[in-house]
Amino acid sequence: MVSAVVSTGEAQAQRPLGAAASDLAIELVKINKRFGPVHANKDIDLKVRRGTVHGIVGENGAGKSTLMSILYGFYTADSGEIRVNGRAEAITDSRYALKLGIGMVHQHFMLVDNFSILENVVLGAEDSALLGKSLTRARAELTRLAREYRLEVDPDAIIEDVSVGTQQRVEILKALYRGADVLILDEPTGVLTPAEADDLFRVLNVLRDQGKTIILITHKLREIMAVTDYVSVMRQGQMVETLKTSETSPEQLAELMVGRRVLLRVDKGAAHPGDTFLSVEDLVVKDDLGVTRVKGVSFSVRAGEIVGIAGVAGNGQSELLESVSGMRDQSAGTVKLKGVPLSLEGDDGAHRARKAGLAHVPEDRQRMGLITSFEEWENAMLGYEDDKAYGKGLLLDINAARAEARERIAKFDIRPTNERLKTANFSGGNQQKIVLAREMERNPDVLIVGQPTRGVDIGAIEFIHNQIIKMRDAGKAILLVSVELDEIRSLSDRILVMFDGQIVGEADPATATEQELGLMMAGIGKEAGK
Amino acid sequence: MSALKPLPRWADIILLPLINLTLAFIVAGLVVFAIGQNPLAALDAIITGAFGSGYNIGYTLYYSTNFIFTGLAVAVAAHAGLFNIGGNGQAYIAGLGVILVALAMQSLPWWLTFPVAILAGAAVGGFWGFVPGYLQAKRGSHVVITTIMFNFIASAIMIYVVVNLLKPPGILAPESASIAVEGRMPKLGTFIPWFKNTDVNFTLILALICLVGAYFLIWHTRFGFAMRALGQNPTATRYAGMSNSRITMIVMTMSGALAGMVAVNQVFGVQYRLVLDYVADAGFVGIAVALMGRNHPLGILLAALLFGALYQGGNELQYVIPGLSKEMVVVIQALVILFTGAMEGLFRPALQRLFSGGPAAARSGG
């Protein structure tokens, strides 16, 4: 299921593992860092060879980001030594890290939206009070970088007008412009479409071939296999192992990350579809800016089947989900549940959808599905707070709500097992389980799931996938939207491909190849599946 | 990812405000010292002026009553993520409802009029909060802007109504007719002689009921849950299907109604007539009260008592120490508002570092 998108090249493979110290761009020795009672990094040793792409994998909370923040000077280690190019350095702030040639591309971009690319590159690295000279120099430098590393951008484009992939490119250019030799990328593909991710990997390969050193933090094994030369696995604050990527497998890495054997494949039996539960007819939806994002979509989902909607992010899937679940007004069309049209207009449309038996696990749990500043039990009833289970009349029966939350924590193995804890203190996987438990335990007829495993660690992915299949086998209709093609293919009983606001094809996951789906997702060969 | 943990609750609610308050008094003391007066004598005068006798306490409680209402008005809205700066205007215009009811019912016993006056004040104040709420919910006009403007509109309307409609002929001052003596609510001093003939009245009881009611509303009702959810994450409430526009309008109405209770205290409880500017900026003090009280009814009670004491003690100060003018008192009050309200987060990072393990957190492990 994991395929290398970009060949890793052979040059780096010739270097033996026990390379001389001068080959090391970065060496971390016995790094320790504690946050209160949490020992985030325990005696970490790491050697990163110059001119390689070095992956660091681990589940959320394994300590990857802390380690990189120490290297980048954002945190100071409690003990341990950092050696850059063989010399011990005390990196006290990121400015000094930059001086040593260490640049970081953060998960969340640090760009000024209404500045041009050129201005963003110069920002903070101006030569003098007057901008003219800096801008001229930066423009020349950008042209050189573009040529050397094949990082073409339009220097005068405004950040808010360019794609996320381009914004990331600007972040890389910023680091290079400041003279970075070692680039740290923190979960760089989290916001990218598959095509943009492939593009990023291509850039990383070029950078490596030009002698730059790249440290890639990720929890996606596919990316590790596709682009890295070496990979270090972290688990619970410790460095478990460093391996040559060519000598390992996703299965082995997953086992090292989680500490037990993990099924990377989804086990599911054949679907037994029944009556049509959800039907969407000629749906038209506009986004917040008034742009039509869903252009007349019709499809149906039957009881006991999972219909997956594949597509590159931004082709109307989000608006489709939000509209069907009642979060976003529709411009035209009907949504029927068991043949009855749903009334979804207004800002309480989602409430009526839930009442009718349509549950929704949203794409972005932190922005939509949860209130992270609330305690867990409060989120466990979000959207269902009117239910009789939580008290009579206006008053809320807090004890009943907490008792129910405790039951679900046990049933869905949510950790930590404390319903009074702030939701922000749960890991991504556990937050997703809170949402899933809430939406599944109501026994809805239709479950709409967006990006069920985005930012979720491997151990939890297995659990979440199994829960979704259990719902299907219980005779529910499930609509799944994911930008992870692997996920769509392994879970769905039927795949619909969405491109530019329309459904451009239907495919059978058992027979459709990744290439066929990829072409449809790109809008090529519209009739391929029909 | 931050190395700093949030403060323990008690430190957040008690320790931090106390530190801020102490600092405010130190700076105020420096100011007093700079103009050649003894800061300790001034502090003593304020404390004695606020709590020295039943008389002083009565007036302190009277001021606190207003601040409880306006503090609650700000806090309830704040829980829903709405910043109601219009407490002043809502409290002011609510006086119209109160005086019309009181004058219409002045021949009846006060205990019949009291609940009706409360409803009338709540209705008019609530309406003055509802309109900005409606404008935000349906038209996207931000309540911060509209409530400020509504303060001015209320002010202009009140001048017009008092001078042109309510002022009886023959009276020179811009004020309404007075409630007939037999229709007036007695002050608490009538029942508790200790309070003497101070202005503290039954509205204080109403304020305490509102505090308890607000606590239940915010943390023990479905609506409270919905409004806190809206305050924390409006996208999540849309996802949950709670109507954001409905919550916004209801909360602003409640907030305005709470502010409107100031009119009950002032017009029905103390002045027995409608005078201009009787709110005396209690609406703005309410913002500081809510900030200092962390939007929690208990905190608001304490903060309202503090500001009530400052108002009353400050008034007395000028009589005890002639060198300290009334303006000086305003300076001291302003410093307290500055340190406890506007700069309430000043010491938070330092305290957090202290509570996260102090220097040990920076250099431990290994």
Side-chain angles (χ1 to χ4, degrees), chain B residues 80 89 110 137 227 303:
Chain B
W110 68 270
M227 75 183 219

Side-chain angles (χ1 to χ4, degrees), chain A residues 32 34-37 65-66 75-79 326-329 346-351 354 360-362 366-371 373-374 378-379 381-383 385-388 390-396 398 435 438-439, chain B residues 1-6 9 79 137-138 215-249 356-357 360-366:
Chain A
N32 273 288
R34 283 171 198 269
F35 296 114
S65 293
T66 306
Y75 293 140
T76 313
D78 297 335
S79 67
M327 283 183 73
R328 182 179 288 282
D329 289 348
D347 54 4
D348 54 352
H351 184 70
R354 276 202 183 80
H360 177 203
V361 176
Q366 298 205 340
R367 202 168 65 81
M368 306 174 188
L370 294 168
I371 296 165
S373 54
F374 272 17
E378 293 180 291
N379 274 308
M381 64 176 188
L382 184 73
E385 66 284 343
D386 281 348
D387 196 283
K388 279 197 286 293
Y390 305 126
K392 294 189 200 86
L394 294 170
L395 287 184
L396 208 54
I398 290 175
V435 177
R438 180 181 71 208
E439 301 302 320
Chain B
M1 276 326 275
S2 166
L4 295 179
K5 287 181 297 182
R9 231 174 127 72
H79 276 289
K138 303 286 186 187
Y215 172 78
F216 269 92
L217 170 79
I218 295 167
W219 283 288
H220 286 271
T221 65
R222 299 171 202 272
F223 183 77
F225 177 74
M227 75 183 219
R228 282 188 295 124
L230 174 66
Q232 295 293 325
N233 185 346
T235 314
T237 47
R238 180 86 205 247
Y239 158 80
M242 305 161 174
S243 171
N244 292 6
S245 55
R246 200 180 117 248
I247 299 171
T248 301
M249 290 187 286
S356 300
R363 280 273 161 237
S364 75

Side-chain angles (χ1 to χ4, degrees), chain B residues 254-278:
Chain B
M254 290 196 299
S255 179
L258 280 166
M261 293 303 96
V262 170
V264 177
N265 191 34
Q266 295 288 77
V267 176
F268 191 70
V270 174
Q271 290 155 347
Y272 308 125
R273 62 193 196 285
L274 192 66
V275 300
L276 290 182
D277 289 327
Y278 64 80

